[in-house]
Amino acid sequence: MQIPRIVIAGTHSGVGKTTITTGIMRFLTKAGLRVQPYKVGPDYIDPSYHTYATNQISRNLDLWLTEKDIMQDLFVKSAHQCDLAIIEGVMGLYDGHRNPCYHTSTADVAKALRAPVLLILNVSSMAQSAAAMVLGYKQFDPGVQLAG
């Protein structure tokens, strides 16, 4: 897959993923890039913001409802003419279905798409502890390409 892409994930729900993701999408669209938006999971609210910000239909990427190879094919088919695919995660980076047999988290989608991850965290009331938190996210699964 030669499609430029990034996953924007958070440490947990409510950390600002949708606001930051939609802002980045809008900025890049206004700068003249064709941004293809995505949302991890079966969500319809956040994709409506993405669609408005980019003038492109936002699509869902879900490993609970779709097998990995089908999800990858859908991604390639829908993103092949874009300048950049931006994928907003769901909940926290490693959160997914409660059954450990299913790999449905944002991290799993990022690994399946070989996409770097931008991690959003709320650092209010902390200083160096934020670095320790990010290090934990990075070391939890070395297969996740935490890029920033």
Side-chain angles (χ1 to χ4, degrees):
M1 284 183 272
Q2 297 299 320
I3 299 162
R5 59 197 166 277
I6 190 163
V7 171
I8 301 177
T11 55
H12 59 281
S13 292
V15 74
K17 288 185 306 292
T18 302
T19 302
I20 292 169
T21 300
T22 305
I24 291 170
M25 288 175 177
R26 184 65 182 157
F27 175 82
L28 293 173
T29 298
K30 287 186 84 171
L33 295 176
R34 183 171 176 184
V35 176
Q36 177 57 57
Y38 296 91
K39 173 68 180 184
V40 175
D43 189 331
Y44 66 93
I45 296 172
D46 295 349
S48 68
Y49 300 140
H50 302 166
T51 298
Y52 182 78
T54 64
N55 301 314
Q56 299 290 327
I57 295 172
S58 183
R59 304 182 184 279
N60 296 92
L61 300 173
D62 191 306
L63 290 171
W64 169 249
L65 299 173
T66 310
E67 294 178 19
K68 179 180 167 182
D69 58 336
I70 294 172
M71 185 209 60
Q72 291 168 325
D73 288 344
L74 291 170
F75 174 78
V76 170
K77 287 178 184 175
S78 60
H80 76 282
Q81 292 184 344
C82 72
D83 296 310
L84 175 65
I86 298 179
I87 304 145
E88 180 186 348
V90 63
M91 298 171 63
L93 177 60
Y94 295 109
D95 298 325
H97 192 278
R98 290 181 183 159
N99 185 331
C101 295
Y102 296 102
H103 302 284
T104 61
S105 70
T106 298
D108 294 316
V109 170
K111 289 192 299 186
L113 297 176
R114 296 187 308 273
V117 175
L118 174 65
L119 184 65
I120 307 298
L121 60 153
N122 181 344
V123 296
S124 64
S125 301
M126 69 172 74
Q128 289 176 297
S129 295
M133 198 158 118
V134 171
L135 182 61
Y137 274 80
K138 184 171 180 61
Q139 291 179 344
F140 187 79
D141 183 348
V144 174
Q145 183 189 348
L146 196 59

